[in-house]
Amino acid sequence: MEIHNKYSSIEDWLNSQANYWCQGSGSTSDGWFWILGEEMIALVESWIDEVNEAHKNDRRPCSVLQNRFKDYFRPELLQSSYFVIVKVLPMPKMPELREAGLGDFMDNEDQLGGITYKDTYYLVPDAAGDVGIHFHELVHVIQWRTLGTRNFIQRYMEEIQRFGYSEKAPLEQMAYGLQKTFEEGVVPFDVEKKVVATL
């Protein structure tokens, strides 16, 4: 992949964040996409930690879903994963992310039933009773744990840049695919094992 040397009006910010414009297929609308620098990823992680801390007292352990998800998820995983029901999903509104071509993700909150940050996922009231959505978000919890926080952020954002916020993005494709399998009522399977083997 070739680094593009043309600077924009936010050159100073680009340099400080160590982000680069790169040319490649499936990129942003102007034909370029971003590689998120370490400082940008750290900023996103810090925001996530603040959101999770702010909702710590409102979260519920996923162990309350133990009977529904028996033989799909380990009890230990459900006990150490959480969900919060909120009126509006918390989304990062950082201008830097919009500049990086991630507006599609940032502006999609009204279309989403849930969003996962590390070991905690957030659901709007209409989605809270849908076990399929809980299943979907728990797949993301496993992805976060398996890849590690910064690797997940990097990969997820790059996939959105390439494919848009859609089922074509591989991490989302995995979650939607496993959710569909669950909803079809197949014989229970070890979701964590499946996710880890696929990543």
Side-chain angles (χ1 to χ4, degrees), residues 69 72-73 131-143 167 170-199:
F69 289 150
Y72 288 100
F73 299 100
V131 291
I133 293 179
H134 283 272
F135 189 101
H136 179 108
E137 300 304 334
L138 279 166
V139 170
H140 286 314
V141 169
I142 296 171
Q143 292 172 340
E167 294 183 34
L171 290 174
E172 283 296 343
Q173 187 178 66
M174 184 190 304
Y176 278 110
L178 292 173
Q179 176 187 351
K180 181 180 179 182
T181 300
F182 166 74
E183 291 174 336
E184 289 173 346
V186 301
V187 176
F189 58 97
D190 188 330
V191 179
E192 186 173 12
K193 184 177 180 180
K194 183 74 171 177
V195 171
V196 172
T198 306
L199 286 173

Side-chain angles (χ1 to χ4, degrees), residues 52 59-63 73-83 116-121 137-153 171 192 195-196 199:
N52 285 347
R59 67 186 190 177
R60 300 182 64 188
C62 293
S63 55
F73 299 100
R74 292 182 299 109
E76 295 80 8
L77 175 71
L78 295 176
Q79 291 166 5
S80 58
S81 304
Y82 309 90
F83 67 91
T116 302
Y117 298 124
K118 294 188 174 182
D119 63 357
T120 302
Y121 59 90
E137 300 304 334
L138 279 166
V139 170
H140 286 314
V141 169
I142 296 171
Q143 292 172 340
W144 277 93
R145 293 186 180 189
T146 304
L147 294 173
T149 297
R150 297 200 174 189
N151 286 337
F152 179 91
I153 293 172
L171 290 174
E192 186 173 12
V195 171
V196 172
L199 286 173

Side-chain angles (χ1 to χ4, degrees), residues 7 12 20 26 33 89 92 109-110 114 123 127 135 146 157 166 192:
Y7 291 111
D12 291 340
Y20 302 93
F33 66 89
L89 295 178
E109 59 192 287
D110 293 337
L123 302 171
F135 189 101
T146 304
M157 295 304 183
S166 70
E192 186 173 12

Side-chain angles (χ1 to χ4, degrees), residues 7 10-20 39:
Y7 291 111
I10 54 172
E11 175 183 352
D12 291 340
W13 183 85
L14 283 171
N15 288 335
S16 69
Q17 300 298 316
N19 289 306
Y20 302 93
E39 290 185 31

Side-chain angles (χ1 to χ4, degrees), residues 36-78:
L36 298 180
E38 285 299 316
E39 290 185 31
M40 185 71 249
I41 293 173
L43 182 63
V44 173
E45 182 180 13
S46 178
W47 177 85
I48 288 171
D49 288 341
E50 289 177 6
V51 169
N52 285 347
E53 182 63 28
H55 292 86
K56 191 173 183 179
N57 293 332
D58 300 319
R59 67 186 190 177
R60 300 182 64 188
C62 293
S63 55
V64 299
L65 303 168
Q66 177 67 55
N67 291 338
R68 191 64 185 84
F69 289 150
K70 183 180 179 181
D71 297 328
Y72 288 100
F73 299 100
R74 292 182 299 109
E76 295 80 8
L77 175 71
L78 295 176

